[in-house]
Amino acid sequence: MSKQLTHEFLVENGLILFETIIGSQAYGTQTPTSDVDKKFVYILPMDYILGTGYVEQINVNKDYTGWELRRFLELMETNNPTVLELLNSPEDCIISKHPLFDLILAHKEDFITKLCKNSFGGYARQQIVKAKGLNKKQNWEKDKVTRKDLLDFCYVIQGDKSIPWRAWNANKYDEKFVGAVNIPNARDTYALFYDSVAEMLHSENTDEELRETYKEALRKAGKSMGMGYKGLINTGHEDEDGKINYGISNQLRLSSVPKGEKVIATIVYNKDGYSEHCKDYKEYQEWLENRNEARYVETQEHGQRIDGKNMMHCMRLIRMATEIGQGKGIQVRREDREYLLSIRRGELDLDKLIEEADNAIKNMDEVFDNSTLPDRVPKGLVNALLVTIRREFYDLPISATTLEKRL
């Protein structure tokens, strides 16, 4: 067992039982940019079975995976969509087939049960949930969501109303010269004061020559150059791309204010709302960075951007599950390929598509409720196939209980 178990090793030693192309190439929904996904079933050398070196799966790369015979049959028993599709591969997709694999193919209909409602349909439901989540993010993108700072979550209390700080202020007060003080026993509530002297001396809105004149006059009079308020927020610093980094703090800056100063406003800061915005914005930026751009398409009439591949496979799974429930078997090569490709190209509105998928799932549920398919794979089938194929492959004596008798 010292030899590394690789696909090349399996091929060289005749351990591949079945290998095929799956995915869009098998469905007939491939595009010029589609990957070629391949799956295979292998049988381990006997030493791996008798010893502790059992390897149930080999990943050549993300698009090229294989299962050991036992693991493959276990997945078959659960009606795993990928392995059932593999078992029903179109002839032009099959790369190689060992004669012993015909024993499994001869019983492929026995593996089609009502479990497909949850294996195929359940995965389709997950895709709809994912699509709805993506739709939310696409709407963020469509609405040109921009990074907000903490002042967007501050509100001036005025009578029985709360007014957004920036709407109330309307550039009347420069935030750099505002001093904030906690109001005792009032969570996230602050009294604001303004340093008009500092504004006069330091504001860029005042002519520089006039500012110097004011400073000189105060120096001669021996008066203070302002209250030294810290401003409302730390606006951060520019990053290497010239964008402001707002991740300095989620707190208002507090100042020391002498007694007797006049309050200009009382504000409430929605700190929880700001924290939630920061979290959402970070998730959105990560999503923008990590998404597979090639999968996203513009819908022709509505300008939405959708993950066309995701929604195409969602509808394919629902339709395949419905066909299975109707007793039509597993139809991998799709006759409805043009409809599916229209989804991938973004020719259907996402909201209507999600509504159509929801209705199709309801129909699928009704079909399975009335289906004559068995509830589960026949008891003992997996074990009988596994024992029979291993005995044949390893050239072991066939027991008196043959596959036929086991069934």
Side-chain angles (χ1 to χ4, degrees), residues 228-245:
Y229 296 160
K230 294 182 179 180
L232 276 179
I233 62 172
N234 186 337
T235 55
H237 59 275
E238 289 189 358
D239 61 20
E240 58 186 15
D241 297 322
K243 297 179 180 178
I244 295 295
N245 177 356

Side-chain angles (χ1 to χ4, degrees), residues 149-361:
D149 67 35
L150 157 167
L151 288 179
D152 292 307
F153 296 85
C154 291
Y155 300 86
V156 175
I157 303 300
Q158 201 167 68
D160 60 351
K161 297 179 181 179
S162 63
I163 303 171
W165 160 258
R166 288 201 161 113
W168 179 88
N169 184 35
N171 295 321
K172 180 180 179 181
Y173 297 104
D174 189 331
E175 282 108 8
K176 292 194 298 288
F177 308 114
V178 173
V181 175
N182 275 316
I183 295 180
N185 305 313
R187 181 176 182 264
D188 297 327
T189 305
Y190 304 86
L192 303 187
F193 301 84
Y194 197 67
D195 189 345
S196 55
V197 173
E199 179 189 30
M200 180 179 66
L201 298 177
H202 303 292
S203 174
E204 294 177 357
N205 295 324
T206 303
D207 179 77
E208 184 177 0
E209 184 175 342
L210 186 56
R211 294 201 306 264
E212 291 302 320
T213 299
Y214 290 152
K215 290 177 184 178
E216 182 62 26
L218 288 174
R219 275 193 290 267
K220 287 181 179 180
K223 294 185 177 181
S224 168
M225 294 290 177
M227 309 298 294
Y229 296 160
K230 294 182 179 180
L232 276 179
I233 62 172
N234 186 337
T235 55
H237 59 275
E238 289 189 358
D239 61 20
E240 58 186 15
D241 297 322
K243 297 179 180 178
I244 295 295
N245 177 356
Y246 290 98
I248 303 300
S249 173
N250 67 342
Q251 302 285 350
L252 285 172
R253 302 187 80 178
L254 301 181
S255 300
S256 296
V257 178
K259 291 183 179 180
E261 292 298 307
K262 181 181 178 182
V263 175
I264 62 169
T266 299
I267 66 170
V268 172
Y269 164 40
N270 182 5
K271 184 164 65 176
D272 292 341
Y274 178 60
S275 297
E276 186 68 20
H277 163 75
C278 292
K279 176 176 174 289
D280 287 344
Y281 186 81
K282 180 181 178 182
E283 289 178 358
Y284 178 65
Q285 293 300 317
E286 290 174 350
W287 173 73
L288 286 177
E289 182 178 351
N290 296 327
R291 67 179 178 173
N292 181 350
E293 186 66 28
R295 290 174 60 148
Y296 290 84
V297 293
E298 298 280 355
T299 55
Q300 293 183 357
E301 296 181 3
H302 299 271
Q304 290 173 291
R305 306 192 72 227
I306 72 170
D307 185 340
K309 184 176 181 180
N310 170 70
M311 287 308 300
M312 176 185 70
H313 286 310
C314 174
M315 291 305 298
R316 175 188 60 79
L317 284 162
I318 298 171
R319 290 187 165 202
M320 288 183 71
T322 303
E323 292 163 358
I324 291 168
Q326 292 169 337
K328 297 179 181 178
I330 298 174
Q331 302 178 32
V332 176
R333 182 64 51 80
R334 304 305 302 166
E335 293 183 358
D336 54 355
R337 66 181 301 272
E338 288 304 322
Y339 165 74
L340 295 173
L341 286 171
S342 71
I343 295 174
R344 180 161 191 166
R345 292 191 294 265
E347 295 172 5
L348 301 177
D349 171 57
L350 180 57
D351 292 332
K352 291 181 179 178
L353 190 58
I354 290 175
E355 181 181 357
E356 181 179 338
D358 286 335
N359 291 332
I361 282 183

Side-chain angles (χ1 to χ4, degrees), residues 10-26:
L10 296 174
V11 172
E12 291 170 1
N13 290 274
L15 299 168
I16 301 291
L17 297 179
F18 189 74
E19 184 163 348
T20 188
I21 295 170
I22 66 162
S24 60
Q25 308 288 337

Side-chain angles (χ1 to χ4, degrees), residues 111-126:
F111 284 96
I112 301 176
T113 75
K114 287 184 178 179
L115 293 176
C116 289
K117 173 185 174 181
N118 292 326
S119 60
F120 281 79
Y123 186 68
R125 284 185 171 91
Q126 293 174 14

